[in-house]
Amino acid sequence: MCEELKMDEEPQMFFDALKEIRGILPLNEHLLNLLVEMNGGMDTNVQKFLCMYFSLLDDGNARIELDAARFLQLWNKKWEGLIRLQESLRENGEAGYDVTNLTQYESDFAQVVEDGIRAFLNGDMKKIAKVVENACETKDDDLVQIDKPLTLTLDKGNFLYLTKHFIAKRDIEMTMGGLFSKAGKATDESKVKLYTGSDTFSLNKKQREAVTRGANGESLIVTGGPGTGKTTVVLYILWNLLKHPKKLDYSIYLAAPSGKAADRMRESLMNQLEKIDTQEKKDNEPIYNKLENLESFTIHRLLKFSRGKGAFTFDKENKFPSNSIFVIDEASMIDIGLFASLLQAIPADAHVFILGDPYQLPSVDSGAVLGDIWQSADFTVHLDESHRSKAHPQIGKLAEEIKAVAESGDKSKIKSHEFSLHPALAGAIAPRNEVNFYALENAAENDGKYGKLTERIEKVLNEWLARKSKIGETEWSFYDLPELASQIVVDDGDTKQAELRNAIWDLSLSRRILSAERRGVQGVEQINKTACALIRKQWKSEGHLLPEYSKYIPGQLLMITKNQEMFKLYNGDTGIVVFKDNAPYLMLKKDGFVFYQLSLLSADALETAFAITIHKSQGSEYDEVTMFLPKQVGHPLLNNQILYTGITRAKSVVEIIATAQTYVAACEPPTKRDTGIEI
């Protein structure tokens, strides 16, 4: 019996080192060993090259170009970032990897890349890589015949894909052509008299263009930053489409990548629906009733994953009904595989409206589909006038500065800002300017004057928790959350309870701390731990007793991190801890307020949410945002998309806690994910 082939000892050690410094996903080890086995063994350097290749795919790329100079440019940037990350952890007293152990690999990188690329281009990897001469001409039948885990395309450059990513790319390219084929072509819907606003509200030029085209039968991609009115545009498109007699019976599907984003889209649509003229509502009561009763879905729930099939119920063979309208929000968060699955399940004659901000963070998994398809497409309308920026122009101006660098790729467009010592370190209350740049140390003074970094952050958090926010006619701080939560009566629906629930809910949304990092002194885990400790201390100092045997405190903010299908709770849903008979419950606002006993929810699906990662904040907005950026230039999470996404979560006040140097580094043009989609 032949011995099972696996990675050689040296590549295995390299993989283990990469895994230790969070440079490669552990799941890739099985795939790498499988490739070695399928190929009947391979050269040591080729095995190392594949470790580097999969590490770069883990950054969200769907393909990597087999050009030595380009490959090394990508790899060296990533490697430097991984080293900086470990140095940052060790500086913070955490068990970071000793980077001196990594220098043994660096001198071999150029040779490893050269040998790896040569092996693929010379045909030595045919057992694991299917060669496609002309990727643009592959059709469904061709895709079915690709039976290797990797695909090498040779037109327009040499690119190595995971085969599942190559198939998804081609599926998107082929499907988009059919779904958006009506671009620029007016249909019978053009005979309908458009409703585009009231005397008190009217659409701007770009919004009117989108509504006119959508109501005339075109499927569209509608892009724009926060406050540009993407959901407003979609509501008016839906309202006008449904005026056409044949469309009133169409099924309308609202979906987004996360439950939080789906709920927020529906809530935004309902808010805009109420702003439609009274007479217009009265004249079109069936339309109003239909829109008022819309339900929103996560994309996974919309497609209905079947455990029996191990795939989605709705797919290219079993599409949704033809008489359908789809509204897909937060499209920047959709990865290449899910995007392909969604588009394939939509019939070609359906109406499709895809919404998103291409400058936000891309999906957690592979691809940056929205970023690839919106600029060159004639079925895109980009909204560029922000109503939020008019009310809070400084936040809008800052976001535009950062976006301009990303758009142009020009570092000279970066604008520096002066960072002053955070007022809380001197015992003062931070002023509520619209935009604030704060540092945790003062280079002109002895850093130890304000204590260790952990002590400085605790002072900042104490000031943050103590700040007052006006809710209705009363001012409350986050230190008041336990008092308010203790007055909530579970399942009591009287008027006073409704007022109290709305007050604590509004307070919980008044501000949030965002951090690029999960771990470390400035990471959300430690910030949440410190915030809870401060609230506990304050609550006890006022003579209150905490509920016995509970690890939770009244008023604690919790986020769902894993879907709880039984309770219709989804990743990103956030609630407030309240108690009934010493048992902790989670209060959330859906259509109304709902309560779930925490003992019924999976403990590993909950985490404290006074601070959340910037990735988790997508699809949310808060009155005030305090954002911590990584401390080291070169840190992999110090980038343009993270900075832009964090800033645009704020409606009225944003605080950036960083240094002048790290802020400039964060503004630099982002490294574009390579998805390979061409529309």
Side-chain angles (χ1 to χ4, degrees), residues 357-373:
D357 183 351
Y359 296 99
Q360 283 189 36
L361 282 163
S363 60
V364 174
D365 293 320
S366 297
V369 181
L370 182 65
D372 280 341
I373 64 178

Side-chain angles (χ1 to χ4, degrees), residues 431-546:
R432 296 193 180 189
N433 300 321
E434 200 172 305
V435 176
N436 308 273
F437 299 94
Y438 293 134
L440 293 176
E441 58 188 65
N442 192 338
E445 299 181 17
N446 181 1
D447 189 33
K449 176 179 178 180
Y450 300 103
K452 296 179 180 179
L453 180 58
T454 53
E455 294 169 344
R456 281 175 264 155
I457 291 176
E458 183 173 323
K459 291 175 182 177
V460 170
L461 291 179
N462 180 57
E463 185 274 332
W464 184 83
L465 291 167
R467 288 184 204 169
K468 298 288 186 179
S469 293
K470 190 169 184 179
I471 308 298
E473 298 301 317
T474 309
E475 289 193 336
W476 303 98
S477 77
F478 269 30
Y479 275 133
D480 295 313
L481 282 170
E483 178 186 344
L484 292 169
S486 297
Q487 298 174 47
I488 298 292
V489 180
V490 175
D491 299 328
D492 189 335
D494 68 26
T495 303
K496 289 185 177 179
Q497 276 292 302
E499 292 174 357
L500 184 60
R501 290 172 186 177
N502 281 311
I504 193 172
W505 189 258
D506 290 345
L507 176 60
S508 76
L509 295 177
S510 64
R511 71 177 74 108
R512 196 69 86 240
I513 291 173
L514 307 182
S515 176
E517 301 171 280
R518 174 164 290 280
R519 296 169 57 193
V521 179
Q522 297 186 169
V524 297
E525 292 176 357
Q526 184 58 47
I527 290 174
N528 279 319
K529 184 178 178 180
T530 304
C532 286
L534 288 169
I535 292 173
R536 281 178 181 271
K537 181 179 178 181
Q538 177 77 12
W539 185 238
K540 285 184 176 181
S541 73
E542 295 173 357
H544 299 285
L545 295 177
L546 290 168

Side-chain angles (χ1 to χ4, degrees), residues 594-653:
V594 291
F595 298 83
Y596 298 92
Q597 193 165 346
L598 282 171
S599 61
L600 300 177
L601 303 179
S602 177
D604 66 351
L606 296 164
E607 62 182 34
T608 305
F610 295 107
I612 60 176
T613 62
I614 296 172
H615 279 86
K616 285 281 189 184
S617 75
Q618 289 193 96
S620 299
E621 61 180 21
Y622 308 97
D623 290 332
E624 300 182 16
V625 162
T626 296
M627 177 168 52
F628 285 84
L629 295 180
K631 290 169 43 202
Q632 281 196 324
V633 173
H635 192 291
L637 294 177
L638 198 63
N639 65 58
N640 187 288
Q641 291 162 315
I642 277 185
L643 181 60
Y644 174 83
T645 301
I647 287 169
T648 54
R649 299 311 90 206
K651 292 193 290 186
S652 56
V653 175

Side-chain angles (χ1 to χ4, degrees), residues 31-272:
L31 181 52
L32 283 161
N33 284 324
L34 178 63
L35 293 178
V36 172
E37 177 76 16
M38 288 178 63
N39 204 59
M42 62 181 67
D43 181 79
T44 296
N45 271 1
V46 177
Q47 294 177 45
K48 286 185 181 179
F49 171 78
L50 283 173
C51 289
M52 296 163 72
Y53 168 75
F54 281 107
S55 177
L56 291 175
L57 287 186
D58 289 345
D59 291 341
N61 296 294
R63 66 180 188 176
I64 304 295
E65 186 174 6
L66 296 190
D67 173 85
R70 175 61 179 154
F71 193 103
L72 279 170
Q73 181 185 24
L74 289 173
W75 178 254
N76 288 335
K77 182 173 182 178
K78 173 162 188 173
W79 184 256
E80 181 184 349
L82 293 171
I83 299 298
R84 294 287 181 272
L85 177 60
Q86 295 307 308
E87 290 174 345
S88 175
L89 291 174
R90 290 172 72 85
E91 282 180 10
N92 292 335
E94 294 195 52
Y97 194 85
D98 185 357
V99 295
T100 59
N101 294 329
L102 300 174
T103 55
Q104 60 180 306
Y105 301 110
E106 295 175 356
S107 61
D108 295 335
F109 286 155
Q111 189 62 54
V112 165
V113 171
E114 184 179 326
D115 291 349
I117 290 176
R118 184 188 304 114
F120 277 95
L121 296 184
N122 285 351
D124 300 338
M125 300 289 111
K126 285 185 177 179
K127 291 181 180 179
I128 62 172
K130 175 75 172 181
V131 177
V132 175
E133 298 285 347
N134 194 331
C136 296
E137 294 183 3
T138 53
K139 303 299 181 187
D140 282 337
D141 291 343
D142 302 319
L143 296 175
V144 171
Q145 295 175 26
I146 300 179
D147 56 355
K148 306 288 176 29
L150 302 176
T151 297
L152 174 62
T153 63
L154 302 179
D155 57 328
K156 300 182 179 180
N158 304 317
F159 291 93
L160 187 62
Y161 293 80
L162 276 182
T163 292
K164 66 177 183 179
H165 291 158
F166 176 70
I167 292 173
K169 156 197 146 65
R170 285 298 298 141
D171 284 340
I172 291 170
E173 290 171 339
M174 291 186 288
T175 308
M176 291 287 288
L179 291 177
F180 293 88
S181 60
K182 294 180 182 178
K185 300 174 184 177
T187 62
D188 289 344
E189 285 81 9
S190 60
K191 298 176 182 177
V192 175
K193 184 178 179 181
L194 292 180
Y195 171 72
T196 57
S198 63
D199 292 337
T200 56
F201 174 79
S202 60
L203 302 175
N204 62 41
K205 183 178 179 180
K206 283 284 189 179
Q207 291 174 325
R208 189 180 293 270
E209 176 194 345
V211 171
T212 302
R213 293 177 65 179
N216 283 349
E218 293 186 46
S219 290
L220 295 173
I221 295 173
V222 181
T223 63
T228 53
K230 297 185 292 294
T231 50
T232 300
V233 160
V234 165
L235 174 68
Y236 279 73
I237 289 175
L238 295 176
W239 186 270
N240 287 295
L241 266 180
L242 296 179
K243 280 187 172 184
H244 196 284
K246 294 180 181 179
K247 307 292 181 183
L248 189 57
D249 292 331
Y250 273 36
S251 297
I252 300 176
Y253 301 98
L254 308 179
S258 70
K260 176 176 65 174
D263 286 347
R264 189 166 174 273
M265 170 174 56
R266 183 186 178 281
E267 181 183 352
S268 179
L269 283 171
M270 295 307 104
N271 289 339
Q272 294 302 322

Side-chain angles (χ1 to χ4, degrees), residues 277-293:
D277 289 341
T278 303
Q279 188 61 47
E280 180 73 12
K281 290 178 190 174
K282 186 176 180 180
D283 292 343
N284 298 278
E285 188 174 357
I287 296 175
Y288 177 82
N289 292 336
K290 185 180 184 74
L291 295 177
E292 187 182 35
N293 291 298

Side-chain angles (χ1 to χ4, degrees), residues 548-600:
E548 198 172 0
Y549 307 121
S550 177
K551 66 178 180 179
Y552 300 108
I553 54 178
Q556 185 172 345
L557 306 186
L558 291 181
M559 176 181 284
I560 304 291
T561 58
K562 296 179 182 177
N563 293 344
Q564 307 286 290
E565 295 284 355
M566 180 185 299
F567 302 107
K568 293 187 177 180
L569 296 176
Y570 303 102
N571 184 8
D573 284 344
T574 302
I576 304 168
V577 175
V578 298
F579 281 80
K580 177 183 179 181
D581 300 328
N582 281 338
Y585 283 71
L586 189 64
M587 182 181 84
L588 301 98
K589 191 174 186 180
K590 293 293 187 175
D591 285 334
F593 286 100
V594 291
F595 298 83
Y596 298 92
Q597 193 165 346
L598 282 171
S599 61
L600 300 177

